DNA sequence: AGGAGTGTGTAGTATATACTCCACGGTATA
DNA sequence: TATACCGTGGAGTATATACTACACACTCCT
């Protein structure tokens, strides 16, 4: 079930084809600040996904969305959690309310709030 | 800094005054499924806040809001996280967008979505 | 043949999380 | 004076998290 690992490997190999020599396990691990063998194991699901710091680093290196990658790892970023914790009741209500709403409804909120009709 | 512990103790003692004999450390601990000495230490900040299960149990026993209590413990409930993880990009956007919005703006969203003008 | 770069296997470590178990001393009650 | 709660102290445990360190085998290049 280690969707995370598979995804990272796939994405890395994809980039490796375009720019070989820059996306080896060793190179990426070095950039992400971890050991190559560790990354290798993660990619093959032999180790669970790494910590938040490392996931975000990987996301940036691989030009992926950090929140999406964190989600694949079964996590929610600390900074989002912090926002929720400041006003737990309100955010809990909003999130639960939006739980089953279609994507376009969420997009509408983002748009309307951003455009300041509030 | 263990705001959590202090709050629980305060709330428990409050209820103890109204209904003595039903809100001792031992009674509450038993209901919450933990050892009395553990609860005692938590209330005095000698131990960090307990796990999510236990916090939610305490919230119910003390008639408190689980999300608020979890927030005091520096946590966000797993079920909220699960909702976010299903559509990480969308929810991340919504939450960050609402970060600095006043309470009434969030309330308005809750209300409007609930009332189905969507 | 030698070196550079590739991925991977084995073993071990440090720290945090979430608790339990038992025993002690105080107060109140009958 | 015994028995029944009350809170608490000290020590120990189980599991998870997030990694490191090092060595090995293979391929490609010159």
């Amino acid at each position: 079930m280690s969707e995370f690992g598979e995804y990272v490997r796939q994405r890395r190999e994809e980039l490796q084809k375009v720019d070989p020599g820059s996306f080896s396990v060793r190179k990426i691990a070095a950039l992400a600040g971890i050991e190559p063998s560790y990354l290798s194991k993660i990619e093959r699901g032999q180790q669970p996904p790494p910590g938040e710091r490392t996931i975000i680093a990987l996301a940036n290196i691989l030009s992926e969305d950090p929140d999406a990658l964190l989600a694949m790892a079964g996590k929610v970023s600390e900074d989002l959690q912090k926002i929720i914790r400041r006003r737990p009741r309100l955010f809990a209500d909003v999130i639960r309310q939006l739980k089953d709403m279609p994507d376009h409804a969420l997009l509408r909120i983002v748009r309307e709030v951003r455009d300041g009709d509030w």
Side-chain angles (χ1 to χ4, degrees), chain A residues 14-79:
Chain A
E14 212 174 291
L15 293 167
Q16 210 172 15
K17 262 167 210 162
V18 177
D19 177 0
S22 292
F23 290 94
S24 71
V25 168
R26 280 162 204 271
K27 291 270 169 60
I28 302 306
L31 289 173
I34 58 174
E35 290 292 310
S37 65
Y38 184 39
L39 176 56
S40 171
K41 278 167 254 177
I42 288 166
E43 285 188 353
R44 286 168 300 130
Q46 208 177 101
Q47 287 275 338
E52 175 166 331
R53 285 185 74 91
T54 301
I55 292 175
I56 291 172
L58 287 173
N60 291 329
I61 294 163
L62 302 174
S63 306
E64 284 288 317
D65 183 84
D67 293 302
L69 215 53
L70 282 166
M72 287 187 208
K75 314 201 184 210
V76 170
S77 79
E78 252 312 309
D79 84 282

Side-chain angles (χ1 to χ4, degrees), chain A residues 2 17 21 47 64 73 99 102 104 106-107 109 112 114 117:
Chain A
S2 187
K17 262 167 210 162
Q47 287 275 338
E64 284 288 317
K99 177 182 174 188
H104 63 79
L106 306 212
L107 285 168
I109 289 173
E112 290 190 5
R114 173 171 32 79
D117 324 353

